[in-house]
Amino acid sequence: MTGEIIKVSRNTELAPICAQSTQTVAFSHYNNFSAQLPIDPKTGALVVGDIQDQARQCLTNIKAIVESIDHVMDDVVKVTIFLKNLDHLAQVDEVYASFFDNLLPTRTVIEVAALPHGDALVQMDALISNGEGTYPQAPCELVKLSRNTERAPISELATQTVAFSHYNNIGAQLPVCPEKGAVVDGGIKAQTAQCLRNIKQIMESIDVPFDDIVKANVYVTDLAHMDAVNEVYTTFFPDSSIARTVGYMPARSVIQVSRLPMGALVQIDVSISHGDGTPPQEVEDRHGIVIRANNTDQAPVCPLSTQTVAFSHYNHLTGQLPRVANSDQVVEGGVAEQATQCLSNIKAIIESIGHKMDDIVKVNIQLVDMADLAAVEQVYPEFFNHELPARTVIGVSQIALGAKVQMDAVLSNAEGTPPQR
């Protein structure tokens, strides 16, 4: 079901063009950007220089795409920075701040095992507000609401939460005590609880209940910690009596990273439904617009997440491993077979809610061996009939179940989710 709202896929020659993705895919009130490597679009080559030169090129590419669709950098609501070496972050930050004139977007920073270009030191992707909407929505001067609370850690280089239209985007929360400004004492359980507590404090500061989370990304330095993370996670979800009654869990992706800022063991960021909207949208009761959570037995079901959670004009899908429904085993074969299974799971979930693969606006791919990307790209385009979605690819040292690949997706939802009457 695609409805009348149009997905707008665009490229500009002022930034690197990739045959396997679209630079920006707009739908309704957001633009979803593909990850930008430090490649000079004029030469098609990686820029020569140090980490600051590479960071500047990533941001220059993002800015070129932003401006090509008649936006400005202050329309950015979230940036994710993927570093090969976290020790470079201070140098990246010097460049980063120079690209934003007003309030900074939310931000997630991780160290990864590999990037698509072997000599790249950094890669960045972004989410952009889109006040004009996409046809037939009428342009509207929506307000971007950037907010911080002292009840959670405050950063000079990021805003805790940026709301635009019917979504709030909360930047990655480290297990940092806001009073002490340091990572909490204790192991992975204490750190997980602090990450979630920080998120909850931010949400409560803007009068949004915890069960309005539609998608969580959990970044851990060791997948062996996930049993402990999950033990804590289930003490936060579901949060309300209504959510407990239906057993609501947000969509979720778990990603092993090489390192996290401040030596943390875990970091979590979230996307949040925002029924109030942002001015001049009419304020609705935040439970008036329905969160629609859906599972299908045609894809693997997990008790700790929902396969797809729709709110307003977007669906957020849980990260898909290459396993068939009702099995804990990875499919036989190599990375091509595994990539096919991941995409088949995504397709099954999408079709179960009356959508199609071309409704996808963004795909995130994690690979254990970046050399496998070529094999993935042999099967990837077969699942799409029209313009390819925006895309981010990173290398990780390990994926659950010993898989070689994992994928998640964000899906347009033209029909929206209706107000309860």
Side-chain angles (χ1 to χ4, degrees):
M1 183 183 297
T2 56
E4 295 182 352
I5 301 177
I6 305 299
K7 185 178 79 170
V8 181
S9 304
R10 290 171 287 191
N11 287 320
T12 174
E13 294 181 352
L14 299 176
I17 294 175
C18 175
Q20 297 290 336
S21 64
T22 304
Q23 290 168 349
T24 174
V25 180
F27 188 84
S28 189
H29 290 134
Y30 279 93
N31 282 286
N32 303 265
F33 276 30
S34 288
Q36 294 301 303
L37 287 160
I39 291 175
D40 183 341
K42 296 178 181 177
T43 64
L46 201 74
V47 295
V48 177
D50 59 14
I51 182 62
Q52 289 195 321
D53 295 311
Q54 291 201 11
R56 186 175 294 105
Q57 188 64 53
C58 290
L59 287 159
T60 298
N61 291 342
I62 289 173
K63 186 177 182 181
I65 299 168
V66 166
E67 293 178 347
S68 75
I69 56 175
D70 296 323
H71 280 259
V72 295
M73 287 295 280
D74 281 337
D75 291 336
V76 177
V77 297
K78 181 180 180 182
V79 172
T80 304
I81 301 175
F82 307 95
L83 286 167
K84 287 286 292 295
N85 185 345
L86 201 55
D87 293 341
H88 287 153
L89 182 56
Q91 294 167 275
V92 170
D93 285 344
E94 289 182 15
V95 177
Y96 182 86
S98 68
F99 278 79
F100 300 96
D101 296 325
N102 205 341
L103 295 173
L104 289 161
T106 67
R107 192 170 80 156
T108 294
V109 178
I110 61 174
E111 180 182 299
V112 296
L115 291 170
H117 193 297
D119 294 324
L121 302 173
V122 60
Q123 174 180 259
M124 302 184 196
D125 69 12
L127 181 66
I128 314 293
S129 62
N130 191 51
E132 64 269 31
T134 53
Y135 182 85
Q137 293 173 320
C140 183
E141 293 297 323
L142 295 174
V143 176
K144 185 177 78 171
L145 298 180
S146 302
R147 292 170 285 190
N148 286 322
T149 174
E150 294 181 353
R151 288 185 277 167
I154 294 176
S155 168
E156 294 181 353
L157 289 163
T159 305
Q160 289 169 349
T161 176
V162 178
F164 190 82
S165 189
H166 288 134
Y167 275 91
N168 274 294
N169 303 273
I170 291 186
Q173 291 301 302
L174 288 162
V176 171
C177 171
E179 291 83 10
K180 297 180 179 179
V183 171
V184 294
D185 294 331
I188 186 64
K189 289 185 180 180
Q191 291 197 19
T192 303
Q194 188 63 51
C195 292
L196 291 165
R197 196 175 298 118
N198 289 342
I199 290 170
K200 193 168 188 177
Q201 290 292 333
I202 294 168
M203 293 179 68
E204 289 179 351
S205 75
I206 56 175
D207 194 29
V208 175
F210 202 65
D211 285 315
D212 280 1
I213 293 173
V214 297
K215 174 70 188 293
N217 294 309
V218 180
Y219 304 95
V220 291
T221 57
D222 188 345
L223 281 178
H225 287 153
M226 279 310 300
D227 284 345
V229 169
N230 288 335
E231 185 178 334
V232 177
Y233 192 83
T234 53
T235 67
F236 282 80
F237 299 100
D239 186 56
S240 67
S241 59
I242 295 174
R244 286 192 293 272
T245 299
V246 298
Y248 173 69
M249 301 290 282
R252 189 176 80 161
S253 292
V254 175
I255 301 162
Q256 178 164 309
V257 298
S258 299
R259 277 197 299 167
L260 290 169
M262 303 181 72
L265 302 174
V266 60
Q267 175 178 260
I268 303 173
D269 66 20
V270 295
S271 299
I272 303 164
S273 62
H274 188 238
D276 292 347
T278 54
Q281 290 173 324
E282 292 185 8
V283 174
E284 302 180 51
D285 177 81
R286 63 175 46 89
H287 289 296
I289 300 179
V290 179
I291 289 177
R292 282 189 166 168
N294 188 75
N295 284 324
T296 173
D297 59 9
Q298 299 303 304
V301 177
C302 174
L304 294 169
S305 63
T306 303
Q307 290 169 349
T308 175
V309 179
F311 184 82
S312 187
H313 289 135
Y314 277 93
N315 279 286
H316 297 260
L317 271 63
T318 286
Q320 294 300 302
L321 291 163
R323 62 187 181 100
V324 297
N326 303 314
S327 171
D328 290 330
Q329 302 298 315
V330 170
V331 295
E332 295 182 359
V335 70
E337 289 77 14
Q338 291 196 18
T340 298
Q341 188 62 52
C342 290
L343 288 160
S344 295
N345 290 343
I346 289 172
K347 185 177 181 181
I349 295 166
I350 287 173
E351 292 180 347
S352 75
I353 55 174
H355 279 262
K356 58 187 181 181
M357 289 292 282
D358 284 328
D359 290 337
I360 293 177
V361 296
K362 177 72 185 291
V363 173
N364 298 297
I365 302 175
Q366 297 91 46
L367 288 167
V368 171
D369 186 348
M370 193 56 70
D372 285 337
L373 182 57
V376 171
E377 290 181 339
Q378 289 295 311
V379 300
Y380 182 82
E382 297 174 3
F383 283 80
F384 302 93
N385 293 319
H386 298 292
E387 294 92 348
L388 290 167
R391 192 177 77 168
T392 293
V393 179
I394 60 170
V396 296
S397 58
Q398 187 180 3
I399 295 173
L401 301 181
K404 298 176 182 292
V405 60
Q406 177 177 251
M407 302 184 194
D408 68 18
V410 181
L411 180 73
S412 63
N413 191 50
E415 65 270 30
T417 50
Q420 292 174 340
R421 297 300 182 187

